[in-house]
């Protein structure tokens, strides 16, 4: 059966919502980019104080071993690129609340009131959990990891009490770290733990949407353990201490996510029973 072709004005009306959405998306992206660029420029002006904060873990580990804290510029342009990396990292961290707000402003008009109430807490929890993970990495993981790495030094270059030797034939091993290499390693640690702490937010949001269930996550626990082991091996440097700590943290967050989703399921079941929409098939599926 032939369909009646749309008139020109009907075509324009049908494309209007899409154009409006694209215009709205462009506006939100422009605001996000402006916030990121402004934050990046601000961080570039104070990159040295930020770098001094990021070097505190290695300086504390070196001071504990009786060594001075000094990093090297191996390449001529290394100092500049280190400042740029700090600007990108700090700029994204500072502008993330604005970027998240612009994302919310773009998504919110298409959500129901109940969906807004369900999505907004997760949007607020995401930067908080990232900050907790980054803080945990900075104050707990980095000092422990750097102390482990520095333990591979040996005298006579290292002038610590326990490591001084009078054997002239022993080759000394001393830390002479690269400025940019240290920054990359430190940011990698912070990002790995900050993103790992997003696991409860992601899984709980998926559970709220009905994409995953507590029973399904519990049944997949053995596969999750293998996946977390692989992630810990890839996301952290090859030292056992960091990998074990990261695995323990992520697995604990995985178990917390299961408990949070179970609470959501119980609340949903209670609401459906109160409304008379709960059926036996759903009870069996949940079981």
């Amino acid at each position: 059966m032939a369909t009646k072709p749309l008139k020109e004005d009907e075509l324009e009306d049908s494309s209007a919502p899409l154009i409006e959405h694209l215009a709205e998306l462009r506006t939100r992206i422009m605001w996000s980019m402006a916030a990121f660029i402004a934050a990046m420029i601000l961080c570039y002006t104070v990159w040295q104080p930020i770098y001094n904060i990021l070097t505190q873990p290695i300086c504390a580990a070196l001071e504990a071993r009786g060594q001075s804290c000094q990093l090297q510029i191996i390449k001529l342009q290394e100092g500049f690129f280190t400042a740029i990396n700090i600007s990108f990292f700090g700029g994204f961290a500072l502008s993330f609340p604005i970027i998240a707000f612009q994302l919310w402003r773009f998504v919110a008009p298409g959500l129901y009131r109940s969906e807004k109430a369900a999505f907004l807490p997760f949007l607020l929890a995401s930067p908080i959990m990232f900050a907790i993970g980054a803080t945990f990495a900075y104050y707990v993981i980095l000092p422990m990891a750097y102390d482990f790495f520095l333990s591979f030094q040996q005298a006579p270059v290292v002038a610590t009490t326990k490591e001084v030797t009078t054997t002239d034939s022993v080759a000394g091993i001393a830390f002479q770290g690269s400025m940019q290499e240290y920054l990359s390693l430190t940011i990698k640690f912070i990002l790995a733990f900050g993103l790992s702490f997003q696991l409860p937010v992601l899984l709980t949001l998926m559970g709220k949407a009905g994409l995953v269930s507590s029973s399904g996550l519990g049944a997949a626990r053995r596969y999750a353990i293998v996946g977390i082991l692989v992630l810990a091996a890839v996301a952290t440097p090859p030292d056992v201490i960091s990998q074990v700590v990261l695995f323990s943290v992520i697995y604990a967050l995985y178990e917390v996510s299961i408990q949070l989703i179970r609470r959501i399921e119980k609340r949903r079941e209670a609401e459906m029973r109160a409304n008379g929409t709960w059926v036996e098939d759903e009870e069996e599926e949940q079981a």
Side-chain angles (χ1 to χ4, degrees), residues 91-107:
F92 179 76
L94 287 180
S95 62
F96 181 80
I98 298 177
I99 295 174
F101 176 73
Q102 295 301 323
L103 175 63
W104 169 253
R105 289 291 301 273
F106 178 73
V107 175

Side-chain angles (χ1 to χ4, degrees), residues 89 92-93 96-97 123-140 189-198 201:
F89 180 71
F92 179 76
F96 181 80
L123 187 63
L124 298 176
S126 181
I128 295 175
M129 293 301 295
F130 183 89
I132 294 175
T135 303
F136 179 78
Y138 182 83
Y139 286 104
V140 178
F189 267 113
I190 293 176
L191 286 178
F193 280 86
L195 293 176
S196 298
F197 273 65
Q198 300 296 312
V201 179

Side-chain angles (χ1 to χ4, degrees), residues 116-158:
K116 291 180 181 179
F119 183 72
L120 186 58
F122 296 99
L123 187 63
L124 298 176
S126 181
I128 295 175
M129 293 301 295
F130 183 89
I132 294 175
T135 303
F136 179 78
Y138 182 83
Y139 286 104
V140 178
I141 302 301
L142 291 181
M144 186 167 49
Y146 292 157
D147 183 68
F148 171 79
F149 292 149
L150 292 174
S151 66
F152 290 93
Q153 300 179 106
Q154 74 174 17
V157 175
V158 181

Side-chain angles (χ1 to χ4, degrees), residues 55-70 146-147 150 153 158-160 175:
T55 54
Q56 286 302 311
I58 189 66
C59 288
L62 287 169
E63 184 180 358
R65 304 177 68 83
Q67 298 177 249
S68 61
C69 182
Q70 185 174 0
Y146 292 157
D147 183 68
L150 292 174
Q153 300 179 106
V158 181
T160 58
F175 170 71

Side-chain angles (χ1 to χ4, degrees), residues 198-245:
Q198 300 296 312
L199 184 64
V201 179
L202 177 61
L203 291 181
T204 308
L205 181 60
M206 294 175 66
K208 187 77 173 179
L211 300 177
V212 296
S213 63
S214 59
S215 59
L217 292 177
R221 187 176 282 110
R222 66 182 68 181
Y223 304 105
I225 292 175
V226 176
I228 295 172
L229 285 173
V230 173
L231 177 63
V234 173
T236 58
D239 68 292
V240 179
I241 297 177
S242 301
Q243 294 174 358
V244 170
V245 172

